[in-house]
Amino acid sequence: MSEIAKNLKNVLEKIHNAEKKSGRKENPVKLLAVSKFHPAQSVLAAIEAGQTLFGENRIQEASAKFDAVRSQGFSPELHIIGSLQRNKAKEAVRIASCIESVDRIELLEEIEKQASKIEKNIDVLFELHTGEESKAGFTSEEALEEAVSRCARGDFPHIEVKGFMTMAPFTDDKNLIRESFVTLRNLREKYQKKYPDLDFSELSMGMSGDYEIAIEEGATIVRIGTAIFGERN
């Protein structure tokens, strides 16, 4: 059994324990293995251990790596979780099934433009700024509201709204971390009521250091890299 396979098993056990502890039914939480800065061989080792969902930050790196993995006959699902520049949207749409880091209307417009060219539907999550250290994400609810209302209006026919994403502040203060996750969950509930025709089922929150708190607060996707692949080079 490879080191990555052992780590995956360990992380999945902790996820199941956190689900039980918070009174949630088993397996509502998806594990997104963050493979940035790790080679294609590490992704292949995780796939061999049963992992199917991966996350990458940098488009150029993700493109080369996942093209190499797919050329070997595997078809893992890839989410883009890093800040995305408009000029990288074309490649992001080609290689990914979901862009979790949508933080402005201009990006939605570019994703729609590129997805329409290849007639591909792509999932998106709206990233919300809930932690002081993170610069990413919508910082005002007015801007978020405008983006969501345009999706509800049908302005982006190739984009499927799936929910929200956030990064908790980088701190040892568990109360601040929890607050960040509660903010996202409350926002999701508000938008579910306001826009019943859109799907806000996914809450992507929690990383290697805080995913158990995220699960307690309703995460449906946790993004874990170091605990699976080890420290990055």
Side-chain angles (χ1 to χ4, degrees):
M1 200 185 208
S2 73
E3 198 62 34
I4 287 170
K6 283 181 200 159
N7 292 345
L8 257 174
K9 188 167 179 281
N10 188 32
V11 167
L12 286 167
E13 276 172 16
K14 286 184 174 175
I15 288 172
H16 293 326
N17 290 338
E19 286 168 351
K20 276 186 205 158
K21 187 180 162 191
S22 53
R24 297 175 66 179
K25 63 176 188 284
E26 206 170 301
N27 298 327
V29 180
K30 296 192 265 292
L31 169 60
L32 183 146
V34 179
S35 47
K36 66 176 180 180
F37 304 136
H38 293 282
Q41 289 90 323
S42 296
V43 173
L44 289 167
I47 290 170
E48 279 164 21
Q51 181 63 21
T52 58
L53 177 61
F54 294 85
E56 288 276 340
N57 286 51
R58 299 172 177 212
I59 301 304
Q60 213 171 339
E61 179 194 347
S63 186
K65 189 186 303 179
F66 280 82
D67 281 351
V69 167
R70 286 164 178 158
S71 74
Q72 297 200 35
F74 298 102
S75 50
E77 192 181 344
L78 177 63
H79 287 196
I80 301 302
I81 59 173
S83 192
L84 183 62
Q85 296 165 299
R86 283 175 67 184
N87 65 351
K88 301 276 171 63
K90 179 181 180 179
E91 188 63 3
V93 166
R94 181 184 77 82
I95 61 175
S97 63
C98 178
I99 297 169
E100 293 198 9
S101 47
V102 171
D103 58 0
R104 59 202 187 281
I105 283 178
E106 296 78 15
L107 183 56
L108 276 173
E109 290 170 340
E110 191 61 32
I111 291 168
E112 171 59 35
K113 179 180 162 186
Q114 299 304 336
S116 70
K117 283 181 187 173
I118 58 171
E119 297 186 344
K120 176 178 177 176
N121 281 15
I122 187 149
D123 295 345
V124 303
L125 303 184
F126 295 110
E127 182 176 4
L128 193 73
H129 176 89
T130 62
E132 285 317 302
E133 284 77 8
S134 163
K135 299 287 184 285
F138 282 96
T139 51
S140 84
E141 213 183 312
E142 291 77 24
L144 174 64
E145 176 81 43
E146 190 186 343
V148 174
S149 65
R150 284 193 60 186
C151 289
R153 208 162 62 210
D155 286 5
F156 310 115
H158 296 84
I159 289 175
E160 307 277 351
V161 174
K162 292 294 175 186
F164 295 98
M165 183 262 246
T166 199
M167 285 179 70
F170 190 68
T171 174
D172 292 331
D173 186 336
K174 290 186 175 177
N175 290 330
L176 281 178
I177 292 168
R178 192 177 296 277
E179 210 174 282
S180 167
F181 298 149
V182 170
T183 297
L184 197 71
R185 189 186 70 221
N186 289 343
L187 190 88
R188 190 263 295 268
E189 286 166 8
K190 176 181 170 179
Y191 278 85
Q192 273 179 327
K193 285 188 185 119
K194 196 164 184 181
Y195 298 96
D197 292 339
L198 292 179
D199 177 3
F200 294 110
S201 54
E202 300 290 11
L203 279 185
S204 175
M205 56 190 198
M207 302 195 294
S208 285
D210 55 25
Y211 66 91
E212 287 159 292
I213 300 172
I215 289 169
E216 286 171 24
E217 296 304 338
T220 65
I221 300 171
V222 290
R223 309 183 302 273
I224 299 176
T226 308
I228 296 169
F229 296 108
E231 292 298 329
R232 298 180 193 104
N233 298 328

